[in-house]
Amino acid sequence: MIRLDGVHVRHKARSGGVFRRDAVHALTDASLEVERGEIVGLVGESGCGKSTMARVLTGLQKPTEGTVAFHGKDLWEMSGTQRRDDFGSAVGVVFQDPSTALNPRLTVQQILRDPLDVHRRGTREAREARVEELLDLVGLPGHTLAALPGQLSGGQRQRVAIARALALEPELIVADEPTSALDVSVRAQVLNLLVDLRERLGLGMVFISHDIQTVRYLADRIAVLYLGRIVEEGRTADVAGAPSHPYTEALLSATPSLLETTERIVLTGPVPSATNPPAGCPFRTRCWKADDACATVFPVRTEGPDGHRWHCVHPQTPASPSGDPTPVPSARSTA
Ligand SMILES: Nc1ncnc2c1ncn2[C@@H]1O[C@H](COP(=O)(O)OP(=O)(O)OP(=O)(O)O)[C@@H](O)[C@H]1O
Ligand SMILES: [Mg+2]
């Protein structure tokens, strides 16, 4: 459905003098594909380029280099009108914080009608019916239509944001940390709503989170980002069950699930600056396996079975995760 090929995004650094503006490497040589009805999870620490990727996927950010294709058509070779109208209605976005993403002066009804009005969908009656249908779809009661966002709970507001993203019947939803601003108690409900909507509407989804356990809960495939690079990608069972990249292993060990007995890997030192990323493997400054072989070039891609791929000179071997000499319990891959 959508495909990024060799995408780079470089920003001008916010700091720096008038004469020397450094480049921020927000995304480097990223390739990613999302198929119809598939949930792809994107995971990584703060600043690694997740939101940049979301902006590229939704056509809000033009890549500095590389291509974005939607059903085989290059997004940035379309006319601006075509990109906004055809692509814009095929892709919905849900942001992290529903209290800033929704206009506080509009009622829920106006918020949900707005995209239908802008894209001139159907008659007045049809739009009104669609608004009610949307409300129902995200499990909100009818009386919320008259409410302002400020009168709703955080979880309800995020449901409104999801309903708005669904208004034009998109094929793809990009959800950028949609649950991180919510109370722990309502997070699971919103996640389950997304999973349920995918089932019912056959939506494709890119789900972004810094928490690999959340991503693994709902994604079919996972891509792990580090300092603007996709360092590992594959089916959820492979990436989360038998990670090859040490960084993925470290992410998993930071929030272990109950079934796993991995030793906690504590990463020391800061994430290097995106203005001046290290040569070679970007993770080498924090990696316990790094040596001279990691210092010169970004590791080439290694392909495993079922589209599992990684960029690492010293990958984890499935038989000994985090250096543990005992064999992997089978629970790891079925968790
Ligand atoms: N408009 C901009 N101008 C300059 N630098 C930017 C701009 N937008 C993002 N960046 C930088 O690009 C890098 C990636 O940012 P991005 O917002 O994509 O990260 P993120 O993974 O979404 O982080 P978070 O988890 O904190 O949301 C960061 O170093 C960020 O400071
Ligand atoms: Mg972000």
Side-chain angles (χ1 to χ4, degrees):
M1 178 171 44
I2 196 162
R3 181 190 175 121
L4 309 191
D5 251 316
V7 164
H8 295 249
V9 174
R10 287 182 291 268
H11 296 293
K12 287 198 184 80
R14 290 177 181 122
S15 58
V18 184
F19 301 107
R20 207 179 60 91
R21 294 278 289 234
D22 294 325
V24 180
H25 298 264
L27 220 48
T28 304
D29 200 11
S31 298
L32 187 75
E33 239 178 296
V34 187
E35 288 177 28
R36 243 196 135 88
E38 175 186 48
I39 301 188
V40 175
L42 205 57
V43 68
E45 285 164 286
S46 180
C48 70
K50 302 184 295 296
S51 296
T52 303
M53 185 82 108
R55 294 172 57 79
V56 170
L57 283 163
T58 50
L60 295 169
Q61 168 85 55
K62 184 178 178 184
T64 318
E65 253 179 77
T67 56
V68 186
F70 185 62
H71 290 299
K73 276 180 130 179
D74 190 318
L75 205 63
W76 294 96
E77 297 203 327
M78 294 178 189
S79 69
T81 333
Q82 204 185 3
R83 194 166 50 245
R84 272 187 307 275
D85 293 357
D86 300 351
F87 179 72
S89 62
V91 179
V93 206
V94 180
F95 294 106
Q96 173 168 357
D97 191 351
S99 46
T100 53
L102 303 175
N103 186 332
R105 281 181 290 273
L106 298 183
T107 64
V108 171
Q109 179 157 41
Q110 290 167 323
I111 289 169
L112 297 183
R113 267 201 60 148
D114 183 60
L116 301 170
D117 290 340
V118 169
H119 286 261
R120 293 185 218 93
R121 284 288 169 96
T123 59
R124 197 191 148 86
E125 291 75 34
R127 288 178 204 173
E128 250 139 50
R130 176 69 180 150
V131 167
E132 284 179 23
E133 190 179 278
L134 286 168
L135 204 68
D136 202 46
L137 205 53
V138 297
L140 286 172
H143 64 80
T144 36
L145 276 184
L148 295 168
Q151 296 166 321
L152 301 174
S153 72
Q156 288 173 323
R157 276 199 291 264
Q158 199 56 303
R159 283 172 194 267
V160 173
I162 293 168
R164 183 182 59 179
L166 293 172
L168 300 167
E169 302 178 82
E171 289 174 60
L172 175 72
I173 292 279
V174 177
D176 189 0
E177 307 239 20
T179 58
S180 17
L182 302 178
D183 268 9
V184 177
S185 57
V186 296
R187 274 184 204 171
Q189 291 172 20
V190 171
L191 287 181
N192 288 333
L193 170 66
L194 290 172
V195 173
D196 178 52
L197 289 170
R198 186 270 290 258
E199 296 281 273
R200 282 158 62 191
L201 309 176
L203 285 172
M205 199 179 298
V206 175
F207 181 89
I208 298 176
S209 173
H210 59 270
D211 177 25
I212 195 165
Q213 299 299 348
T214 306
V215 164
R216 119 190 250 189
Y217 173 71
L218 82 174
D220 303 307
R221 285 195 298 125
I222 297 179
V224 181
L225 267 176
Y226 187 82
L227 211 61
R229 296 260 196 188
I230 296 180
V231 296
E232 180 162 9
E233 191 198 328
R235 295 187 316 179
T236 298
D238 296 328
V239 173
S244 289
H245 202 286
Y247 179 59
T248 313
E249 180 76 28
L251 283 180
L252 282 161
S253 85
T255 50
S257 79
L258 293 172
L259 287 165
E260 282 161 9
T261 52
T262 41
E263 250 176 83
R264 173 133 198 210
I265 301 163
V266 181
L267 293 179
T268 49
V271 180
S273 153
T275 318
N276 203 354
C281 172
F283 185 55
R284 71 183 164 87
T285 60
R286 296 161 88 203
C287 184
W288 58 100
K289 292 181 160 184
D291 58 22
D292 291 347
C294 311
T296 46
V297 288
F298 182 67
V300 293
R301 184 165 84 189
T302 309
E303 300 260 0
D306 299 311
H308 189 190
R309 47 182 76 146
W310 57 87
H311 295 264
C312 179
V313 179
H314 306 295
Q316 306 289 102
T317 50
S320 59
S322 56
D324 186 344
T326 54
V328 199
S330 56
R332 279 183 67 84
S333 48
T334 52

